[in-house]
Amino acid sequence: QVQLVESGGGLVQAGGSLRLSCVASGLAFSDYAMGWFRQAPGKERERVAGTSRIGTHYTDSVKGRFTISRDNAKNTVYLQMNILKPEDTAVYYCAATLDLGIMPSKYRYWGQGTQVTVSS
């Protein structure tokens, strides 16, 4: 049974930082491309960062502020979020895929999500 478990969310003031973690089990982690998505109320789920065999990718709104990384020995993917803004407030999800792409439909496995709230 595949499980992805996120942690590290919380409430932070604008300009602050958080690091999200996602621990995977039940899959050959190093074979999978991993993504961090977010979904704010009333908005579509969007991928903010991804890491795969071809490299890393960020959506424009987080470039220079967010960093995705992975530790295959620990089956863990991280999202370091710096200079947080109120518009970063959302539920953040990690997801895994054997495919490539930014669309949520490309990702087979999902975590339960962790809330990130940035106050102004």
Side-chain angles (χ1 to χ4, degrees):
Q1 180 183 358
V2 175
Q3 281 192 312
L4 302 178
V5 180
E6 302 100 335
S7 62
L11 173 64
V12 64
Q13 287 189 332
S17 299
L18 285 173
R19 189 174 84 152
L20 306 183
S21 300
C22 171
V23 179
S25 60
L27 76 170
F29 182 76
S30 61
D31 290 345
Y32 282 77
M34 299 298 296
W36 281 99
F37 291 76
R38 68 185 180 189
Q39 188 165 20
K43 294 190 176 181
E44 293 187 353
R45 191 170 296 191
E46 66 167 342
R47 197 186 77 169
V48 296
T51 178
S52 70
R53 62 184 182 275
I54 62 173
T56 58
H57 179 269
Y58 300 91
T59 194
D60 285 346
S61 62
V62 308
K63 283 180 180 177
R65 299 189 298 122
F66 290 12
T67 303
I68 188 171
S69 61
R70 65 190 296 163
D71 184 338
N72 288 339
K74 295 182 178 180
N75 284 7
T76 302
V77 61
Y78 304 96
L79 185 68
Q80 178 67 44
M81 305 186 295
N82 298 328
I83 317 175
L84 282 160
K85 304 176 181 180
E87 52 263 44
D88 295 318
T89 296
V91 178
Y92 283 71
Y93 301 88
C94 69
T97 180
L98 290 173
D99 205 338
L100 292 173
I102 65 171
M103 297 302 295
S105 58
K106 293 283 190 178
Y107 286 75
R108 180 173 182 182
Y109 300 112
W110 291 83
Q112 82 287 352
T114 186
Q115 176 71 46
V116 171
T117 303
V118 184
S119 63
S120 57

